[in-house]
Amino acid sequence: MTGQTEPVLYRIDGRKIKSAKDFYREIGRAVNGRGGYFGRNLDALADCLRGGFGTPEDRPYMFEWQHSAVSRRRLADGPDASLIDDVLDVFSDAGVVLRLR
């Protein structure tokens, strides 16, 4: 029965993220499969984290941003340099765990 209470884990592949557009594509894929939607900006991401966009309604869920250091390096000098910190804030405000790996 413990399997029912274990959080669903969604993995974001940071090796595929070089821009905010890449991030939203990758998080959409992680939750809803290839071409899936899970926001296209921070406000939409916050809405998606509230539920009803592919995450389970009957059990907890969390995210793991794998290779986040690769993403951070690639984003560092561009217009999306603050993306990781901004996304962390949105997850924190929504009460959803996002682990950077």
Side-chain angles (χ1 to χ4, degrees):
M1 202 57 132
T2 58
Q4 295 296 332
T5 59
E6 290 294 316
V8 174
L9 176 62
Y10 298 102
R11 290 181 177 94
I12 302 165
D13 187 347
R15 296 173 296 187
K16 297 179 180 178
I17 299 172
K18 298 176 186 173
S19 68
K21 183 178 179 180
D22 293 340
F23 168 77
Y24 293 110
R25 182 175 40 245
E26 181 58 19
I27 196 170
R29 183 216 49 82
V31 175
N32 293 307
R34 187 172 182 195
Y37 175 82
F38 205 74
R40 297 275 188 263
N41 58 52
L42 294 171
D43 289 334
L45 175 62
D47 289 342
C48 289
L49 289 171
R50 288 189 194 106
F53 290 91
T55 55
E57 294 184 26
D58 59 344
R59 39 190 300 210
Y61 60 92
M62 60 188 295
F63 288 78
E64 182 176 279
W65 189 329
Q66 299 173 327
H67 310 284
S68 61
V70 172
S71 300
R72 195 176 288 277
R73 279 194 307 274
R74 290 177 174 169
L75 295 166
D77 294 327
D80 300 318
S82 67
L83 179 68
I84 293 177
D85 295 327
D86 294 341
V87 166
L88 284 168
D89 288 343
V90 169
F91 271 78
S92 178
D93 289 347
V96 177
V97 173
L98 172 59
R99 293 188 307 212
L100 300 181
R101 297 282 183 210

